[in-house]
Amino acid sequence: MSGAAITSARLDLMLTELRLPTVKRLAAGLCAQSDREGWPGQRLLEALLEHEMNEREVRRIERHRAESGLSVDKRLSSFDFAAVPTVSKAQVMALGEGQEWLDRGANVLLFGPPGVGKSHLVSAIGNALIDAGRRVLFTRCSELVQRLQAARRDLRLPQELAKLDRFDLLILDDLSYVRRDQAETSVLFELISERYERKSLAITANTPFSQWGDVFVDPAMTLAAVDRLVHHATILEMNVESYRRRAAQADQKASQSKHSSATKSGSGKSS
Ligand code: ADP
Ligand code: MG
């Protein structure tokens, strides 16, 4: 084995030990280029470390995306804001870029009947925040309630709530589907109180506040939960017709008009 080969093998070992996979991958190529082009030592070091840092950031974001439970295809770019005139695109885009509201532990509440795009929009905000380097967890509200109830039974509720603390934003999808029997233990209220003014929540619901009584133990608790949630919140009202239904109707119209123009051209008439 030549001296150069030994040095290179030693470097590989050290870079593995130091957990610098990108430097390890690029070192041979960049060192050769540096020798050829006579780079100052600092420039070589800078190039190697810059690559390592960039790839580290990419891997971090990939990990955050994988742990988030978000559908990757629900994006702000694929959301048709024209379909929901009650929602300000600028305001939503700001939430997606926003660091400031997360730092304050402010909330987002999305209301509207089924099919209007609540889950899509809240997921799109979540994906944008992950791109911006934040940590997000998307969960169905009823599933999280079940998980927290199990934790409470095992006397692990504080630990389970603490685990959720690592997320800058916790998305609770479909609050209205939490069942009455799940409400009795009030774990949802504890979660809301625990995060109040510290860590953000985003909640979608197809019923207005006035019907949230079914989700909490009693009217006083419902009121206290709503108070905490709305104290620092952006509320997005999406009271439009179901996007799914409208899309289905548009498809039907398109195929009808295609059919009728086909019959027209078939009969030799032009318009
Ligand atoms: P909700 O959560 O309000 O019941 P979803 O977000 O599940 O509604 O939307 C239903 C379907 O319609 C999803 O596939 C979603 O991507 C799509 N959709 C809804 N609204 C829009 C919109 N404004 N632009 C693009 N796709 C939309
Ligand atoms: Mg939904």
Side-chain angles (χ1 to χ4, degrees):
M1 216 180 198
S2 71
I6 292 170
T7 304
S8 149
R10 273 172 49 77
L11 274 176
D12 271 4
L13 280 172
M14 288 190 277
L15 291 168
T16 305
E17 182 68 22
L18 290 169
R19 297 198 173 77
L20 296 169
T22 310
V23 173
K24 185 176 162 187
R25 201 181 74 242
L26 300 178
L30 282 172
C31 286
Q33 186 179 0
S34 165
D35 288 344
R36 254 192 339 268
E37 297 175 11
W39 292 359
Q42 256 189 345
R43 173 154 174 213
L44 173 62
L45 199 56
E46 186 188 22
L48 286 168
L49 295 183
E50 208 165 22
H51 281 293
E52 185 69 52
M53 287 186 68
N54 290 344
E55 289 201 13
R56 214 171 254 199
E57 180 64 10
V58 169
R59 285 195 300 270
R60 204 166 72 93
I61 289 176
E62 276 169 7
R63 263 199 323 277
H64 291 176
R65 182 111 45 217
E67 77 181 358
S68 72
L70 285 163
S71 319
V72 284
D73 59 328
K74 303 296 178 196
R75 291 293 188 153
L76 289 171
S77 56
S78 60
F79 191 79
D80 174 13
F81 283 91
V84 197
T86 53
V87 164
S88 148
K89 180 174 178 178
Q91 195 179 21
V92 170
M93 299 312 267
L95 288 172
E97 287 158 13
Q99 306 285 322
E100 177 270 342
W101 67 281
L102 292 179
D103 295 335
R104 286 188 293 124
N107 302 319
V108 184
L109 308 172
L110 302 92
F111 292 97
V116 295
K118 300 182 297 298
S119 299
H120 184 138
L121 193 55
V122 81
S123 303
I125 293 171
N127 272 315
L129 289 170
I130 288 181
D131 292 338
R134 294 304 193 121
R135 291 179 80 173
V136 177
L137 181 69
F138 176 98
T139 142
R140 289 177 154 283
C141 193
S142 56
E143 276 168 25
L144 185 70
V145 165
Q146 261 172 31
R147 192 169 121 193
L148 294 178
Q149 277 180 317
R152 159 163 284 172
R153 276 194 298 275
D154 302 344
L155 308 175
R156 290 186 290 108
L157 185 61
Q159 290 90 319
E160 201 62 31
L161 290 175
K163 264 199 235 165
L164 296 171
D165 244 31
R166 66 175 191 268
F167 297 105
D168 301 299
L169 178 67
L170 186 56
I171 299 175
L172 306 181
D173 198 30
D174 282 328
L175 173 114
S176 328
Y177 294 150
V178 172
R179 294 190 317 272
R180 186 82 186 162
D181 60 328
Q182 291 187 317
E184 307 306 333
T185 55
S186 75
V187 284
L188 189 57
F189 181 73
E190 291 201 27
L191 174 69
I192 291 168
S193 306
E194 165 83 13
R195 288 182 79 93
Y196 177 57
E197 291 193 323
R198 286 193 317 110
K199 295 272 171 175
S200 299
L201 286 168
I203 295 181
T204 74
N206 52 33
T207 53
F209 292 130
S210 56
Q211 287 168 40
W212 284 22
D214 288 348
V215 174
F216 297 97
V217 176
D218 58 35
M221 187 183 282
T222 310
L223 202 63
V226 170
D227 266 1
R228 281 171 175 73
L229 286 173
V230 300
H231 186 193
H232 309 282
T234 301
I235 297 181
L236 303 175
E237 293 278 1
M238 303 173 70
N239 284 313
V240 291
E241 207 202 324
S242 161
Y243 189 85
R244 269 190 288 249
R245 194 159 50 223
R246 271 193 290 176
Q249 281 164 355
D251 278 357
Q252 205 177 356
K253 265 197 199 133
S255 79
Q256 272 167 359
S257 73
K258 211 162 115 195
H259 184 243
S260 73
S261 65
T263 4
K264 267 185 204 159
S265 64
S267 64
K269 281 179 200 162
S270 63
S271 53

